[in-house]
Amino acid sequence: MVRTVGVEEELLLVDARSGEPQALSSAVLALAESRTGGESVFEPELHHQQLEFATEPRADMTELVEEILRWRAEAAASAADLGASVAALATSPLPVNPSIGEGERYRWLARRFGLTAREQLTCGCHVHVSVASDEEGVGVLDRIRPWLPVLLALTSNSPYWQGRDSSYNSYRSRVWNRWPSAGPVEVFGSAESYHQQVEALIDTGVLRDKGMVYFDARLSHRYPTVEIRVADVCLDPADTVLLATLARGLVETAARGWRAGEPPDALPVSVLRMAAWQAGRSGLEGSLLHPRTMRPAPAEDVLDVLLAHVRDALEDTGDLASAESALRAVMSRGPGARVQRRLLAETGSLRATVAECVARSRG
């Protein structure tokens, strides 16, 4: 049976003329709900300058991209009624003073985490892949750890921060890792061990609830899925579908290894943090840490290794050819970070860069 995939995308709300982030999420959410007769899938996020949507679980990638395009277009149409636009950017290229969203949860985060919460205007993409049980899910989590930095590099789309080049391709990943529970995790070994660690984190009192367990990949506390949370939101929706395709391939490959009794790589968290840092720093522009050796290797070679690792799973779902084509496209034009830097070089203006990214976000 083919595993289903769902995607959650966070989007940036920007002024249609200036490109500066605008605190309009409440108004956009209300308009979207009225436009769709209550069908809207949009939700508020930590800051008023962003909103989120989630797709239905899909087994067919064509249906997934159609839904992503639909909700991106609906968000853009609702924002346009307020003189705003929607950009699939993981950080704002232009300076911004984020404002915390409504609700007690967000106010608690602001009180508890101070500047970390107030500055945390970042947009990610989370991929949910169905699993048969928590035991299978933890078997997957234990085996996909070395591959997650590659997904980060592939989706890197946040080179700018407060009007300046950060020197990173995914600066969002650096900002996100300020949260105390964010980042890679050790091998759990069993669902019982996983749940015990989650409860231990909550019992510290540092975290509010299970929703704040911000591992790079985790068991969803709402759905029977593994939730891969490492990626930037993708500028091009085609890259979102590639991310979802590779994520499903990684989950299926890991589940097969778990069922066969193959042990996971016992890589320490400290080394995985190096791999994640390198992926956020260089994206696809230089070297990544090879998932099997944790030694530097050209990004293109690492992508080839990833594709070979999930090849059987992609063949079984009929996704291999499309994944190969999409990977070639990303290597040619680059992920969002490369596109943003090229646009700035061509236009000399971050505002013009944002305007072009708004158009590209529609697909």
Side-chain angles (χ1 to χ4, degrees), residues 244-302:
T245 301
L246 294 173
R248 179 165 68 178
L250 280 171
V251 170
E252 176 59 27
T253 301
R256 292 175 183 181
W258 170 73
R259 288 195 298 270
E262 299 170 4
D265 291 328
L267 292 165
V269 170
S270 57
V271 174
L272 293 175
R273 286 191 179 277
M274 299 300 104
W277 184 91
Q278 183 62 38
R281 181 68 167 84
S282 65
L284 299 184
E285 305 308 318
S287 296
L288 297 173
L289 298 194
H290 193 294
R292 299 196 188 282
T293 66
M294 287 295 141
R295 298 291 186 270
E300 188 168 1
D301 292 352
V302 172

Side-chain angles (χ1 to χ4, degrees), residues 102-347:
E102 300 171 3
E104 170 54 27
R105 180 183 181 81
Y106 295 150
R107 290 194 294 269
W108 183 89
L109 287 169
R111 290 193 304 269
R112 181 65 165 148
F113 295 100
L115 194 60
T116 293
R118 291 195 294 274
E119 287 189 338
Q120 193 68 231
L121 181 57
T122 62
C123 296
C125 179
H126 304 160
V127 180
H128 288 259
V129 184
S130 62
V131 290
S133 65
D134 281 3
E135 285 294 344
E136 182 183 65
V138 172
V140 166
L141 294 178
D142 287 349
R143 287 160 178 78
I144 64 174
R145 299 186 312 144
W147 303 96
L148 298 180
V150 189
L151 299 184
L152 171 60
L154 187 64
T155 60
S156 53
N157 184 30
S158 47
Y160 301 113
W161 184 256
Q162 294 291 8
R164 300 177 61 184
D165 195 314
S166 68
S167 298
Y168 288 79
N169 280 271
S170 172
Y171 194 63
R172 177 210 62 85
S173 64
R174 298 301 89 211
V175 175
W176 181 256
N177 274 274
R178 296 174 188 174
W179 294 112
S181 62
V185 292
E186 64 270 27
V187 170
F188 294 106
S190 69
E192 180 182 13
S193 177
Y194 175 90
H195 290 301
Q196 285 175 347
Q197 181 161 144
V198 168
E199 291 301 324
L201 291 176
I202 295 170
D203 288 345
T204 66
V206 175
L207 309 182
R208 182 182 173 101
D209 50 35
K210 292 180 181 179
M212 282 201 67
V213 176
Y214 293 151
F215 300 159
D216 285 346
R218 67 184 184 185
L219 296 184
S220 171
H221 63 281
R222 295 186 294 174
Y223 310 113
T225 64
V226 162
E227 182 184 0
I228 295 175
R229 305 169 49 83
V230 73
D232 282 8
V233 70
C234 297
L235 180 60
D236 191 324
D239 293 354
T240 307
V241 177
L242 173 60
L243 168 66
T245 301
L246 294 173
R248 179 165 68 178
L250 280 171
V251 170
E252 176 59 27
T253 301
R256 292 175 183 181
W258 170 73
R259 288 195 298 270
E262 299 170 4
D265 291 328
L267 292 165
V269 170
S270 57
V271 174
L272 293 175
R273 286 191 179 277
M274 299 300 104
W277 184 91
Q278 183 62 38
R281 181 68 167 84
S282 65
L284 299 184
E285 305 308 318
S287 296
L288 297 173
L289 298 194
H290 193 294
R292 299 196 188 282
T293 66
M294 287 295 141
R295 298 291 186 270
E300 188 168 1
D301 292 352
V302 172
L303 290 180
D304 287 342
V305 171
L306 170 60
L307 187 64
H309 178 66
V310 299
R311 178 176 292 274
D312 289 348
L314 297 186
E315 283 183 337
D316 289 346
T317 57
D319 293 322
L320 180 59
S322 61
E324 289 175 331
S325 176
L327 275 173
R328 287 194 298 269
V330 175
M331 288 302 301
S332 176
R333 62 165 157 77
R338 187 190 301 174
V339 173
Q340 288 188 57
R341 287 195 172 108
R342 185 171 65 245
L343 290 171
L344 180 59
E346 292 171 353
T347 65

